[in-house]
Amino acid sequence: ATASGFSKSFIYKVENGSGCTDVGTVIIDTLALAPNTTYDVVVEVLNEKETPAEDITEEVLEENEDHLFLFNSTPASGSGSISTSEGSKDDKGAPFNQTIKFTTGGAGNGSLAVYLMHLPTNKNAADPANSGGSTDVEAAFPVKIQ
């Protein structure tokens, strides 16, 4: 099945930014998705400390060869899982994944970690430990497939 004709937005917001001693208010939406369905996904990164909010996505797109979005589902397959495919490429044809397809497994609960890696040394890696570089953004979403 393919989801079409509507869109959903999910927010992961850390008021003062990740990694600081006082993160402030944290808002984390649950990724509520239908089972066995494919979704077209677009990742956006905003700095809402600026007024109006600064769309960091534009900078990441301009520097796509120096960045990589990674998605790690727990569980990796089956009920409550999200698998990825058809991620966008950078200007040199290497993985970038700012747009990507999610395909859900069967009904169940899980989690999805989303990373934005900076200066990765291996853009074909599936996780931060193997991609190299540093983590610009890390977000962990609860997943509810029903």
Side-chain angles (χ1 to χ4, degrees), residues 34-119:
N36 304 307
T37 302
T38 299
Y39 295 89
D40 293 312
V41 176
V42 178
V43 182
E44 295 179 334
V45 182
L46 304 176
N47 175 3
E48 294 185 339
K49 281 294 194 187
E50 302 291 325
T51 305
E54 179 185 4
D55 188 350
I56 305 295
T57 313
E58 295 171 17
E59 179 183 336
V60 173
L61 286 166
E62 288 171 9
E63 300 175 0
N64 61 25
E65 293 173 21
D66 295 334
H67 290 93
L68 174 66
F69 287 96
L70 294 173
F71 305 88
N72 291 148
S73 174
T74 304
S77 61
S79 298
S81 71
I82 296 175
S83 61
T84 59
S85 62
E86 297 179 43
S88 58
K89 306 293 186 195
D90 70 15
D91 291 340
K92 290 186 177 173
F96 174 52
N97 302 332
Q98 188 259 338
T99 61
I100 198 162
K101 289 190 183 299
F102 282 3
T103 302
T104 55
N109 296 328
S111 64
L112 183 71
V114 180
Y115 303 92
L116 173 57
M117 305 307 297
H118 185 75
L119 296 174

